[in-house]
Amino acid sequence: MQRIKQGDDVIVLVGRDKGRRGKVESILGDRVIVDGINLVKKHAKGNPQMGDPGGIQEKELSIHISNVALFNASLKKGGRIGFRTNDEDQKERFFLSDSSSVDS
């Protein structure tokens, strides 16, 4: 079970987007792509056969998973994640700072 999953609300801990929040779009090994975070401009060559116009396009690049933390809405900041088993013997994630579990 991963500490950060697709669809989680995360906060960026370091870099030029420090303090910004976003939703995890995808996980690529030890890197994550967060919606609206780490935007770069790419120059793309157009392809008229595919109907793809060229020009400058904004694209989201990946961030290392250690540079984001799961956002804790009750504390209004990023939190560390732990694992425990609930009463039905299912593994669940919870915030280490307080005992509330993460809705997965």
Side-chain angles (χ1 to χ4, degrees):
M1 185 174 232
Q2 295 178 335
R3 297 187 191 285
I4 295 180
K5 297 181 176 182
Q6 185 174 349
D8 282 345
D9 192 22
V10 295
I11 187 166
V12 179
L13 300 176
V14 295
R16 70 171 186 231
D17 291 323
K18 180 178 179 178
R20 293 186 58 199
R21 289 177 35 203
K23 193 168 287 283
V24 175
E25 286 184 355
S26 64
I27 297 179
L28 310 166
D30 61 348
R31 302 185 72 81
V32 293
I33 295 179
V34 182
D35 184 35
I37 305 293
N38 200 19
L39 291 174
V40 294
K41 293 184 188 282
K42 290 286 190 181
H43 294 263
K45 187 173 183 179
N47 187 351
Q49 292 179 345
M50 300 286 286
D52 184 24
I56 302 172
Q57 300 171 350
E58 281 198 339
K59 182 180 180 182
E60 296 154 344
L61 292 185
S62 64
I63 305 171
H64 196 270
I65 204 162
S66 66
N67 295 332
V68 296
L70 196 61
F71 185 72
N72 190 342
S74 63
L75 297 177
K76 304 273 193 279
K77 63 179 184 176
R80 296 180 65 194
I81 300 297
F83 295 102
R84 65 180 170 209
T85 56
N86 58 11
D87 296 335
E88 294 114 23
D89 290 330
Q90 293 177 339
K91 203 174 195 184
E92 68 178 4
R93 300 182 299 166
F94 72 101
F95 287 107
L96 288 174
S97 55
D98 60 342
S99 61
S100 65
S101 69
V102 179
D103 296 327
S104 320

